[in-house]
Amino acid sequence: MNADPKSSCSETTEGEPTATMTPMPVWLVALMVSLLFLSAWYFDLYGGWFESKVFSPYVSVADVQRFQPKTGGIADTVARGKKLFADNCAVCHMETGVGNPANGCPPLIDSEWVKSPTATRIAMLISKGLSGPITVNGKVYNTGVMLAVGDSLPGSEAEKAEKIAAIATYVRFQFGKITVETKTAQVQAVRESIKDRTANFTEEELLKAEP
Ligand code: HEC
């Protein structure tokens, strides 16, 4: 009736767990290696290799501004030309470009001399001035004389050309709706071809130049 104490004791001893080395499954090793490979690959692609431009790109506001794209384009030249126009042309042609018929100053708004395909004629007349009759929008103006405003601009020849180019860009943009910038090099070439001239231009002469 009583169980044999010896046998039950020995059964318990046999059931005791034992610590043995179990080899790691191959699939787990493969998974870890591929994860390591993938993360190294990802870091290589997107990590920037701890490059300071990536991890601490800017140290100040000035630094940020240095990397902003420059405004550039026609807008800067138009703004510069607007100021030069106010200083050198508006006294006769008015800031609004309507001209002043009382003084024989023709309008610039929609003028064919302003809107011409190239800026050659306007560069010529700004440089050396204009006298004699001139037809603008079908109306003849013959009582005023435009002085050689361009030649008398302050600065070296290169500076004059740059200023005339900015004025021409502004006038053509503002009063002729032309969005092409007049380049300094173009004005320099025009001025080089007329550099020995002292007299004002006439309408007849301007019409012989490229439109
Ligand atoms: C002293 C007054 C005066 C100033 C300053 C002056 N102009 Fe004129 N401008 C005239 C007169 C007058 C005429 C017409 C001349 C003529 O009848 O032959 C004229 C003609 C013109 C024309 C051709 C006709 C037309 O209306 O399209 C243009 C373009 C022009 N001027 C642009 C300018 C620009 C740009 C400036 C400044 C760089 C300027 N002028 C400065 C008086 C002036």
Side-chain angles (χ1 to χ4, degrees), residues 38-121:
L38 280 175
S39 39
W41 183 59
Y42 186 87
F43 174 80
D44 187 31
L45 274 185
Y46 302 108
W49 286 99
F50 304 117
E51 165 67 50
S52 64
K53 279 195 208 107
V54 175
F55 291 97
S56 53
Y58 308 116
V59 289
S60 65
V61 174
D63 220 17
V64 177
Q65 277 160 355
R66 199 157 57 85
F67 287 103
Q68 295 305 307
K70 303 275 172 285
T71 340
I74 192 172
D76 281 356
T77 315
V78 166
R80 178 161 162 68
K82 182 177 178 156
K83 186 164 187 319
L84 288 163
F85 179 86
D87 293 347
N88 298 287
C89 323
V91 61
C92 298
H93 293 283
M94 305 284 137
E95 294 249 2
T96 51
V98 291
N100 187 355
N103 297 336
C105 286
L108 301 178
I109 295 171
D110 275 341
S111 152
E112 56 266 51
W113 303 100
V114 169
K115 292 195 293 189
S116 60
T118 73
T120 301
R121 290 175 178 177

Side-chain angles (χ1 to χ4, degrees), residues 85 88-89 91-93 103-108 111 113-114 122 125-126 130-134 136 141-147 149 167 171:
F85 179 86
N88 298 287
C89 323
V91 61
C92 298
H93 293 283
N103 297 336
C105 286
L108 301 178
S111 152
W113 303 100
V114 169
I122 196 168
L125 73 87
I126 292 177
L130 188 67
S131 52
I134 182 144
V136 182
Y141 295 81
N142 194 18
T143 51
V145 170
M146 175 164 159
L147 309 170
V149 184
I167 294 173
V171 168

